[in-house]
Amino acid sequence: MEEQRDFLQEFDKALKLLSDGDKLQILEQVVNNYIASNADLSMPKFINFQMQLNEILGEHINIISHYFQEPMQFQYNGQFKQVFRRVEVLKSLIHIHWNLISAAMVAPNRLKGNFFSFNEANPFDLLLTLINNDNNCFTTNVDFNGGLNLVNQLLENLTDKMNKGSNNIDIGIYEKFKSNTDTFISRMEELTSSYYENTKK
């Protein structure tokens, strides 16, 4: 409670600063220009953006940066409600981007996402795309056996990883993995049993 009270006091001071003159309008312009110009998550652009924020906010930059980054939502009952509503809009614009570029700065080569799709030009293949935090991506085609070999190697390494280092395991992802694995094995058993029966004839 005390930590929250301290945050609200400092946040209110930042809103008071932004209520003075055209500071809020300048902040809105800087945020909007930055979002429009940095879809590629350029680090120099982000650093320049932070320097601009520092010029506008001064000693209040940390409290506003914290507000932009964190997924916090609260009912503001202070004196600067109109300023707060406009800062809240800025947060909705910058929040996801700020966390994406922070991840790119801390761990640029960590996997951010992966996508699979069927390759219409070659129906035997799956198209696999891996995207890192810094938006660099790698695309390759794998056929069924290549995909199965990829999964086998990944499982072997995940099994070894269980007893090494820190593993923050998401139970929801694991439950989905179990369900998908059970379905896959069931389908493969049907296919392979038909194959074995045909080879005996």
Side-chain angles (χ1 to χ4, degrees), residues 7 13 17 22 29 32 44 49 106 109 130-131 133 135 143 149 161 171 175-177 200:
F7 168 80
K13 292 176 184 177
L17 172 77
D22 59 355
Q29 185 177 358
N32 283 310
F49 170 64
V106 173
N109 294 321
L130 304 176
I131 303 175
N133 280 334
N135 278 355
D143 61 11
N149 185 53
K161 180 71 173 68
I171 296 300
E175 291 295 336
K176 185 176 181 180
F177 167 78
K200 291 178 183 177

Side-chain angles (χ1 to χ4, degrees), residues 17-18 23 26-27 30 46-65 68 98:
L17 172 77
L18 291 172
K23 287 185 180 294
I26 294 171
L27 178 64
V30 165
F46 182 63
I47 292 170
N48 185 59
F49 170 64
Q50 288 183 309
M51 291 174 65
Q52 289 178 299
L53 289 184
N54 190 59
E55 289 178 11
I56 299 166
L57 297 166
E59 63 179 334
H60 304 292
I61 185 172
N62 289 336
I63 202 73
I64 294 297
S65 297
F68 283 162
W98 195 303

